[in-house]
Each structure stands twice: as C-alpha cells, then as structure tokens.
C-alpha cells in the first residue's frame, strides 16, 4: 500500500511537470502568434497613416520579435513556428522599406540638380567629393558636362549658380586626385570637357539672367 502511494505521488509530480511543460509550450506558441498577428496588423495600415507613430511601431515590433525568438526555446519541435517567424520578418522588412520612402525628406530642387549632375545621392549637404578618385573622375566630369549640355536651355540663373559651385568643388577634388595616380590620358580628356563647359556656362548663365530680367519687367 505504501509503495502504491509512493508511485502515485511520483506519477502526480510527473504529471505536474508535464502539465507545466505543456503550458509553457502553449504560452510560447501564443507569443509567436501574437508577433505574427502584430506584423500582419501593421502591414494592413497605410504607410502614410503610420508616419507620426513609426518610432512606436518599431519599438513594439522589436519587443515582440525578441519575445518570439526567445519563445522558440520553449517549443520542442519548433520548425513550424520558426518558419512563421521568418515569414513575418520578411513581411516586416518589406513594409519597412516602404516606410523608408514615405519617411524620407522631400527632395529639394537643389538636390534634384545634384542628383542629375553626379548620380542619386552622391552629393549631399556635406558637399563631400571623397568618393571621386583617380579611377572614376573622368566619368564624373563626363556625366556632369553632358548633363549640363543636355539641359542647358531649361536651367534658371540659380541653377547655373549651383552648377558653377559644383563645378568648382569638382575641380578642387581634381587637384587632389592628380596626386593620387590620375593618368595623363584621363587628364587630357578632362581638359577637353572643361573647354566645352566654360563657354557653355558663360553664355547660358547670361541668357538665363537676361530672361529673368525680361520677366521681371513684365
């Protein structure tokens, strides 16, 4: 009888451990499901409507993602739950990229001009030309001069002033690059582009100013 009671006690303890284990696993699954549901709910909101609260959304996402990842340890066979988490991560990253476009500051006319002259985002407010080197400086001049040539009739006086500022900054960078291995062939080609740019700038800048004066008189 005593042995039966002992065995019964052991069985109850084992059942208790099993029950606790099952409960822990169920809670872990709920945590993961909550994370998945959060990502789905965020994706169902228009990006424009989340602009004001985006920092809070990101903070909540990070909290839930961390909890979901930790919950995997409490699930014995967690392949399905791991896949759920990975799928939601991909969904969130895709939506985050959409938000990056919405949250990006508007591109000013000056920045649009710089993007056209040098490439998207190459020159910002810091006016850094450190990315220009002996290997690419000829192509940089080439893009700059050809872009100006193709659009010279549409530039305002302010545009030409900005173009001159950028041109002088590029020339300053060239002085540095010449000491870093600029080939004589590229130097010759750049000289040809500079000869094309100088009169084009002078004539068109004067023309733009003249047009603005006429418009002002009217």
């Amino acid at each position: 009888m005593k042995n039966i009671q002992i065995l019964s006690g052991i069985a109850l303890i084992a059942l208790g451990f099993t029950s606790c284990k099952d409960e822990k696993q169920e809670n872990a699954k709920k945590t993961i499901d909550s994370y998945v549901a959060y990502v789905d709910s965020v994706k169902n909101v228009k990006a424009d409507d989340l602009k004001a609260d985006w920092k809070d959304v990101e903070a909540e996402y990070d909290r839930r993602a961390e909890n979901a990842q930790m919950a995997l340890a409490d699930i014995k066979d967690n392949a399905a739950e791991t896949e759920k988490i990975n799928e939601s991560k991909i969904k969130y990253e895709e939506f985050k990229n959409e938000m990056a476009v919405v949250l990006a500051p508007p591109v000013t006319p000056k920045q649009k001009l710089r993007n056209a002259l040098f490439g998207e985002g190459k020159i910002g407010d810091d006016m850094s030309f450190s990315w220009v080197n002996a290997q690419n400086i000829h192509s940089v001049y080439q893009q700059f001069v050809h872009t100006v040539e193709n659009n010279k009739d549409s530039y305002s006086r302010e545009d030409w002033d900005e173009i001159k500022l950028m041109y002088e900054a590029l020339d300053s960078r060239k002085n540095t690059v010449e000491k870093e291995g600029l080939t004589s062939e590229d130097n010759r080609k750049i000289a040809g582009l500079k000869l094309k740019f100088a009169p084009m700038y002078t004539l068109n800048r004067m023309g733009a100013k003249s047009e603005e004066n006429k418009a002002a008189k009217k």
Side-chain angles (χ1 to χ4, degrees), residues 163-210:
I163 288 167
K164 181 68 181 302
L165 181 67
M166 292 296 102
Y167 180 75
E168 289 173 348
L170 179 58
D171 267 356
S172 178
R173 179 61 181 169
K174 178 178 176 291
N175 293 335
T176 301
V177 167
E178 280 183 317
K179 303 168 188 175
E180 298 175 349
L182 180 63
T183 66
S184 56
E185 177 66 13
D186 279 347
N187 212 347
R188 184 184 63 77
K189 290 177 181 177
I190 289 170
L193 290 167
K194 287 165 70 67
L195 282 173
K196 178 185 284 189
F197 173 80
M200 181 168 57
Y201 165 78
T202 302
L203 291 171
N204 286 279
R205 199 321 187 144
M206 287 173 61
K209 185 175 182 180
S210 176

Short mmCIF file of all heavy atoms in Angstrom, two decimals, residues 163-210:
data_model
loop_
_atom_site.label_atom_id
_atom_site.label_comp_id
_atom_site.label_asym_id
_atom_site.label_seq_id
_atom_site.Cartn_x
_atom_site.Cartn_y
_atom_site.Cartn_z
N ILE A 163 25.37 75.06 -60.39
CA ILE A 163 26.24 74.28 -61.29
C ILE A 163 27.68 74.77 -61.18
O ILE A 163 28.61 73.97 -61.11
CB ILE A 163 25.73 74.39 -62.75
CG1 ILE A 163 24.43 73.58 -62.90
CG2 ILE A 163 26.78 73.90 -63.74
CD1 ILE A 163 23.67 73.86 -64.18
N LYS A 164 27.86 76.09 -61.15
CA LYS A 164 29.22 76.65 -61.02
C LYS A 164 29.84 76.24 -59.69
O LYS A 164 31.03 75.89 -59.62
CB LYS A 164 29.13 78.18 -61.11
CG LYS A 164 30.48 78.89 -61.02
CD LYS A 164 31.33 78.61 -62.25
CE LYS A 164 32.71 79.27 -62.19
NZ LYS A 164 32.65 80.73 -62.03
N LEU A 165 29.05 76.28 -58.62
CA LEU A 165 29.54 75.88 -57.30
C LEU A 165 30.00 74.42 -57.31
O LEU A 165 31.07 74.08 -56.79
CB LEU A 165 28.43 76.07 -56.26
CG LEU A 165 28.77 75.72 -54.81
CD1 LEU A 165 29.81 76.68 -54.25
CD2 LEU A 165 27.50 75.74 -53.95
N MET A 166 29.20 73.55 -57.93
CA MET A 166 29.54 72.12 -58.00
C MET A 166 30.76 71.88 -58.88
O MET A 166 31.61 71.04 -58.57
CB MET A 166 28.34 71.33 -58.56
CG MET A 166 27.12 71.27 -57.65
SD MET A 166 27.45 70.38 -56.11
CE MET A 166 27.63 71.75 -54.99
N TYR A 167 30.83 72.63 -59.96
CA TYR A 167 31.96 72.51 -60.89
C TYR A 167 33.27 72.88 -60.20
O TYR A 167 34.28 72.18 -60.33
CB TYR A 167 31.71 73.41 -62.10
CG TYR A 167 32.79 73.37 -63.14
CD1 TYR A 167 32.93 72.28 -64.01
CD2 TYR A 167 33.68 74.44 -63.28
CE1 TYR A 167 33.92 72.26 -64.98
CE2 TYR A 167 34.68 74.43 -64.25
CZ TYR A 167 34.79 73.33 -65.09
OH TYR A 167 35.77 73.31 -66.06
N GLU A 168 33.25 73.96 -59.45
CA GLU A 168 34.46 74.40 -58.74
C GLU A 168 34.86 73.40 -57.65
O GLU A 168 36.06 73.16 -57.42
CB GLU A 168 34.23 75.78 -58.14
CG GLU A 168 34.16 76.89 -59.18
CD GLU A 168 33.76 78.24 -58.61
OE1 GLU A 168 33.32 78.27 -57.43
OE2 GLU A 168 33.89 79.24 -59.33
N ALA A 169 33.86 72.80 -57.00
CA ALA A 169 34.15 71.79 -55.97
C ALA A 169 34.77 70.54 -56.61
O ALA A 169 35.69 69.93 -56.05
CB ALA A 169 32.87 71.43 -55.23
N LEU A 170 34.27 70.17 -57.79
CA LEU A 170 34.82 69.02 -58.51
C LEU A 170 36.25 69.32 -58.96
O LEU A 170 37.13 68.46 -58.88
CB LEU A 170 33.94 68.68 -59.72
CG LEU A 170 34.39 67.52 -60.60
CD1 LEU A 170 34.51 66.23 -59.80
CD2 LEU A 170 33.42 67.33 -61.77
N ASP A 171 36.49 70.54 -59.43
CA ASP A 171 37.84 70.94 -59.83
C ASP A 171 38.81 70.88 -58.65
O ASP A 171 39.97 70.48 -58.79
CB ASP A 171 37.82 72.37 -60.39
CG ASP A 171 37.64 72.38 -61.90
OD1 ASP A 171 37.61 71.30 -62.51
OD2 ASP A 171 37.52 73.48 -62.47
N SER A 172 38.31 71.28 -57.49
CA SER A 172 39.14 71.23 -56.28
C SER A 172 39.52 69.79 -55.96
O SER A 172 40.66 69.51 -55.57
CB SER A 172 38.38 71.87 -55.11
OG SER A 172 39.13 71.79 -53.93
N ARG A 173 38.56 68.88 -56.13
CA ARG A 173 38.84 67.46 -55.90
C ARG A 173 39.85 66.93 -56.91
O ARG A 173 40.71 66.11 -56.59
CB ARG A 173 37.53 66.66 -55.98
CG ARG A 173 37.70 65.16 -55.78
CD ARG A 173 38.27 64.82 -54.43
NE ARG A 173 38.44 63.38 -54.25
CZ ARG A 173 39.11 62.83 -53.24
NH1 ARG A 173 39.66 63.58 -52.31
NH2 ARG A 173 39.22 61.52 -53.15
N LYS A 174 39.77 67.43 -58.12
CA LYS A 174 40.71 67.01 -59.18
C LYS A 174 42.15 67.33 -58.78
O LYS A 174 43.07 66.54 -59.05
CB LYS A 174 40.36 67.67 -60.50
CG LYS A 174 41.31 67.32 -61.65
CD LYS A 174 40.87 67.98 -62.93
CE LYS A 174 41.88 67.71 -64.05
NZ LYS A 174 43.17 68.40 -63.85
N ASN A 175 42.36 68.48 -58.15
CA ASN A 175 43.71 68.85 -57.72
C ASN A 175 44.30 67.81 -56.77
O ASN A 175 45.50 67.54 -56.79
CB ASN A 175 43.68 70.22 -57.04
CG ASN A 175 43.33 71.34 -58.00
OD1 ASN A 175 43.54 71.21 -59.20
ND2 ASN A 175 42.78 72.42 -57.48
N THR A 176 43.43 67.24 -55.93
CA THR A 176 43.88 66.20 -55.01
C THR A 176 44.12 64.89 -55.74
O THR A 176 45.13 64.21 -55.53
CB THR A 176 42.82 65.98 -53.90
OG1 THR A 176 42.61 67.19 -53.20
CG2 THR A 176 43.25 64.89 -52.94
N VAL A 177 43.18 64.56 -56.64
CA VAL A 177 43.24 63.28 -57.36
C VAL A 177 44.45 63.21 -58.28
O VAL A 177 45.01 62.12 -58.49
CB VAL A 177 41.92 63.08 -58.16
CG1 VAL A 177 42.05 61.95 -59.16
CG2 VAL A 177 40.77 62.79 -57.21
N GLU A 178 44.89 64.35 -58.81
CA GLU A 178 46.06 64.36 -59.70
C GLU A 178 47.29 63.81 -59.01
O GLU A 178 48.18 63.24 -59.66
CB GLU A 178 46.32 65.79 -60.17
CG GLU A 178 45.40 66.21 -61.31
CD GLU A 178 45.73 67.61 -61.81
OE1 GLU A 178 45.97 68.50 -60.97
OE2 GLU A 178 45.73 67.80 -63.03
N LYS A 179 47.34 63.94 -57.69
CA LYS A 179 48.49 63.44 -56.93
C LYS A 179 48.31 61.97 -56.53
O LYS A 179 49.17 61.39 -55.89
CB LYS A 179 48.67 64.28 -55.66
CG LYS A 179 48.85 65.77 -55.95
CD LYS A 179 48.73 66.59 -54.66
CE LYS A 179 48.71 68.08 -54.94
NZ LYS A 179 48.45 68.88 -53.71
N GLU A 180 47.15 61.40 -56.89
CA GLU A 180 46.84 60.03 -56.46
C GLU A 180 46.77 59.06 -57.63
O GLU A 180 46.08 58.05 -57.58
CB GLU A 180 45.52 60.02 -55.70
CG GLU A 180 45.56 60.85 -54.42
CD GLU A 180 44.21 60.93 -53.73
OE1 GLU A 180 43.18 60.52 -54.32
OE2 GLU A 180 44.16 61.43 -52.59
N GLY A 181 47.46 59.39 -58.72
CA GLY A 181 47.55 58.44 -59.82
C GLY A 181 46.66 58.71 -61.01
O GLY A 181 46.38 57.79 -61.79
N LEU A 182 46.20 59.94 -61.22
CA LEU A 182 45.38 60.27 -62.39
C LEU A 182 46.25 60.12 -63.64
O LEU A 182 47.33 60.70 -63.73
CB LEU A 182 44.86 61.70 -62.29
CG LEU A 182 43.99 62.19 -63.46
CD1 LEU A 182 42.72 61.37 -63.58
CD2 LEU A 182 43.65 63.66 -63.29
N THR A 183 45.77 59.35 -64.61
CA THR A 183 46.56 59.10 -65.82
C THR A 183 46.57 60.33 -66.72
O THR A 183 45.63 61.14 -66.69
CB THR A 183 46.00 57.91 -66.62
OG1 THR A 183 44.70 58.24 -67.11
CG2 THR A 183 45.89 56.67 -65.74
N SER A 184 47.62 60.46 -67.53
CA SER A 184 47.73 61.60 -68.44
C SER A 184 46.61 61.56 -69.49
O SER A 184 46.13 62.60 -69.93
CB SER A 184 49.10 61.59 -69.13
OG SER A 184 49.32 60.36 -69.79
N GLU A 185 46.17 60.35 -69.86
CA GLU A 185 45.09 60.21 -70.83
C GLU A 185 43.77 60.75 -70.27
O GLU A 185 43.06 61.51 -70.93
CB GLU A 185 44.93 58.73 -71.20
CG GLU A 185 43.78 58.43 -72.16
CD GLU A 185 43.97 59.03 -73.54
OE1 GLU A 185 45.09 59.47 -73.85
OE2 GLU A 185 42.98 59.06 -74.30
N ASP A 186 43.46 60.38 -69.03
CA ASP A 186 42.23 60.88 -68.39
C ASP A 186 42.32 62.39 -68.16
O ASP A 186 41.34 63.11 -68.31
CB ASP A 186 41.98 60.17 -67.06
CG ASP A 186 41.33 58.80 -67.25
OD1 ASP A 186 40.86 58.53 -68.37
OD2 ASP A 186 41.29 58.03 -66.28
N ASN A 187 43.52 62.85 -67.83
CA ASN A 187 43.72 64.28 -67.61
C ASN A 187 43.46 65.05 -68.90
O ASN A 187 42.85 66.13 -68.88
CB ASN A 187 45.16 64.54 -67.13
CG ASN A 187 45.23 65.73 -66.19
OD1 ASN A 187 44.29 66.51 -66.06
ND2 ASN A 187 46.36 65.87 -65.53
N ARG A 188 43.89 64.50 -70.01
CA ARG A 188 43.68 65.12 -71.31
C ARG A 188 42.19 65.17 -71.65
O ARG A 188 41.68 66.19 -72.12
CB ARG A 188 44.45 64.36 -72.38
CG ARG A 188 44.37 64.99 -73.77
CD ARG A 188 45.07 64.12 -74.80
NE ARG A 188 44.42 62.83 -74.93
CZ ARG A 188 43.29 62.63 -75.61
NH1 ARG A 188 42.65 63.65 -76.17
NH2 ARG A 188 42.78 61.42 -75.70
N LYS A 189 41.49 64.08 -71.40
CA LYS A 189 40.06 64.01 -71.69
C LYS A 189 39.28 64.99 -70.81
O LYS A 189 38.33 65.63 -71.27
CB LYS A 189 39.54 62.59 -71.46
CG LYS A 189 40.04 61.59 -72.49
CD LYS A 189 39.55 60.19 -72.16
CE LYS A 189 40.05 59.17 -73.18
NZ LYS A 189 39.63 57.79 -72.82
N ILE A 190 39.67 65.10 -69.56
CA ILE A 190 39.02 66.04 -68.63
C ILE A 190 39.23 67.47 -69.11
O ILE A 190 38.31 68.30 -69.06
CB ILE A 190 39.55 65.84 -67.20
CG1 ILE A 190 39.04 64.51 -66.63
CG2 ILE A 190 39.10 67.00 -66.29
CD1 ILE A 190 39.70 64.11 -65.32
N ALA A 191 40.45 67.77 -69.59
CA ALA A 191 40.74 69.11 -70.10
C ALA A 191 39.81 69.46 -71.25
O ALA A 191 39.33 70.59 -71.37
CB ALA A 191 42.20 69.19 -70.54
N GLY A 192 39.52 68.47 -72.11
CA GLY A 192 38.60 68.69 -73.23
C GLY A 192 37.19 68.99 -72.75
O GLY A 192 36.50 69.86 -73.30
N LEU A 193 36.76 68.30 -71.71
CA LEU A 193 35.42 68.52 -71.15
C LEU A 193 35.33 69.90 -70.50
O LEU A 193 34.31 70.58 -70.60
CB LEU A 193 35.11 67.44 -70.11
CG LEU A 193 34.87 66.03 -70.68
CD1 LEU A 193 34.90 64.99 -69.56
CD2 LEU A 193 33.54 65.96 -71.41
N LYS A 194 36.41 70.32 -69.87
CA LYS A 194 36.44 71.64 -69.23
C LYS A 194 36.37 72.75 -70.28
O LYS A 194 35.71 73.79 -70.08
CB LYS A 194 37.71 71.78 -68.38
CG LYS A 194 37.67 70.96 -67.09
CD LYS A 194 39.05 70.83 -66.45
CE LYS A 194 39.54 72.13 -65.87
NZ LYS A 194 38.75 72.58 -64.71
N LEU A 195 37.03 72.54 -71.42
CA LEU A 195 36.98 73.51 -72.51
C LEU A 195 35.57 73.64 -73.08
O LEU A 195 35.15 74.71 -73.52
CB LEU A 195 37.95 73.10 -73.63
CG LEU A 195 39.44 73.40 -73.38
CD1 LEU A 195 40.28 72.79 -74.49
CD2 LEU A 195 39.68 74.89 -73.28
N LYS A 196 34.83 72.54 -73.06
CA LYS A 196 33.44 72.56 -73.53
C LYS A 196 32.53 73.26 -72.53
O LYS A 196 31.61 74.00 -72.91
CB LYS A 196 32.95 71.12 -73.76
CG LYS A 196 31.50 71.04 -74.23
CD LYS A 196 31.01 69.61 -74.33
CE LYS A 196 31.57 68.96 -75.59
NZ LYS A 196 30.93 67.62 -75.83
N PHE A 197 32.79 73.04 -71.25
CA PHE A 197 31.91 73.57 -70.21
C PHE A 197 32.01 75.09 -70.07
O PHE A 197 30.99 75.78 -69.94
CB PHE A 197 32.22 72.92 -68.86
CG PHE A 197 31.46 73.53 -67.71
CD1 PHE A 197 30.15 73.17 -67.48
CD2 PHE A 197 32.06 74.47 -66.88
CE1 PHE A 197 29.43 73.74 -66.43
CE2 PHE A 197 31.35 75.04 -65.82
CZ PHE A 197 30.03 74.68 -65.61
N ALA A 198 33.23 75.63 -70.10
CA ALA A 198 33.45 77.05 -69.77
C ALA A 198 32.59 78.00 -70.61
O ALA A 198 31.84 78.81 -70.05
CB ALA A 198 34.92 77.38 -69.89
N PRO A 199 32.66 77.95 -71.95
CA PRO A 199 31.83 78.88 -72.73
C PRO A 199 30.34 78.57 -72.62
O PRO A 199 29.52 79.48 -72.67
CB PRO A 199 32.33 78.66 -74.17
CG PRO A 199 32.96 77.31 -74.17
CD PRO A 199 33.53 77.13 -72.80
N MET A 200 30.01 77.30 -72.46
CA MET A 200 28.60 76.91 -72.32
C MET A 200 28.01 77.53 -71.06
O MET A 200 26.88 78.04 -71.08
CB MET A 200 28.50 75.37 -72.26
CG MET A 200 27.09 74.83 -72.15
SD MET A 200 27.03 73.04 -72.42
CE MET A 200 28.16 72.43 -71.18
N TYR A 201 28.77 77.52 -69.99
CA TYR A 201 28.30 78.13 -68.74
C TYR A 201 28.14 79.63 -68.91
O TYR A 201 27.09 80.20 -68.56
CB TYR A 201 29.30 77.84 -67.60
CG TYR A 201 29.08 78.73 -66.40
CD1 TYR A 201 28.04 78.47 -65.50
CD2 TYR A 201 29.87 79.86 -66.19
CE1 TYR A 201 27.80 79.30 -64.43
CE2 TYR A 201 29.64 80.70 -65.12
CZ TYR A 201 28.61 80.42 -64.23
OH TYR A 201 28.37 81.26 -63.18
N THR A 202 29.16 80.29 -69.45
CA THR A 202 29.14 81.75 -69.56
C THR A 202 27.95 82.24 -70.38
O THR A 202 27.20 83.13 -69.96
CB THR A 202 30.44 82.25 -70.20
OG1 THR A 202 31.55 81.81 -69.40
CG2 THR A 202 30.46 83.77 -70.28
N LEU A 203 27.76 81.66 -71.56
CA LEU A 203 26.68 82.09 -72.46
C LEU A 203 25.30 81.81 -71.88
O LEU A 203 24.41 82.67 -71.91
CB LEU A 203 26.83 81.41 -73.83
CG LEU A 203 28.04 81.85 -74.66
CD1 LEU A 203 28.19 80.95 -75.89
CD2 LEU A 203 27.88 83.31 -75.08
N ASN A 204 25.11 80.63 -71.37
CA ASN A 204 23.78 80.25 -70.89
C ASN A 204 23.42 80.90 -69.57
O ASN A 204 22.25 81.19 -69.31
CB ASN A 204 23.68 78.72 -70.78
CG ASN A 204 23.58 78.06 -72.13
OD1 ASN A 204 22.51 77.99 -72.72
ND2 ASN A 204 24.71 77.56 -72.64
N ARG A 205 24.40 81.13 -68.74
CA ARG A 205 24.15 81.83 -67.48
C ARG A 205 23.70 83.27 -67.76
O ARG A 205 22.77 83.79 -67.17
CB ARG A 205 25.42 81.81 -66.66
CG ARG A 205 25.43 82.06 -65.14
CD ARG A 205 24.63 83.00 -64.57
NE ARG A 205 24.77 83.32 -63.17
CZ ARG A 205 24.60 84.54 -62.73
NH1 ARG A 205 24.35 85.52 -63.58
NH2 ARG A 205 24.63 84.80 -61.44
N MET A 206 24.37 83.91 -68.74
CA MET A 206 23.99 85.27 -69.14
C MET A 206 22.59 85.27 -69.75
O MET A 206 21.78 86.16 -69.48
CB MET A 206 25.00 85.82 -70.15
CG MET A 206 26.34 86.20 -69.56
SD MET A 206 27.55 86.65 -70.83
CE MET A 206 26.71 88.05 -71.58
N GLY A 207 22.30 84.25 -70.55
CA GLY A 207 20.99 84.16 -71.19
C GLY A 207 19.88 83.97 -70.17
O GLY A 207 18.81 84.57 -70.29
N ALA A 208 20.14 83.15 -69.16
CA ALA A 208 19.13 82.91 -68.12
C ALA A 208 18.86 84.17 -67.32
O ALA A 208 17.71 84.49 -67.00
CB ALA A 208 19.62 81.79 -67.19
N LYS A 209 19.92 84.93 -67.04
CA LYS A 209 19.76 86.18 -66.30
C LYS A 209 18.97 87.19 -67.13
O LYS A 209 18.09 87.91 -66.61
CB LYS A 209 21.12 86.76 -65.94
CG LYS A 209 21.04 88.01 -65.07
CD LYS A 209 22.42 88.46 -64.65
CE LYS A 209 22.31 89.69 -63.74
NZ LYS A 209 23.63 90.18 -63.29
N SER A 210 19.25 87.24 -68.43
CA SER A 210 18.55 88.16 -69.32
C SER A 210 17.07 87.84 -69.37
O SER A 210 16.21 88.74 -69.33
CB SER A 210 19.16 88.08 -70.72
OG SER A 210 18.45 88.89 -71.62
#
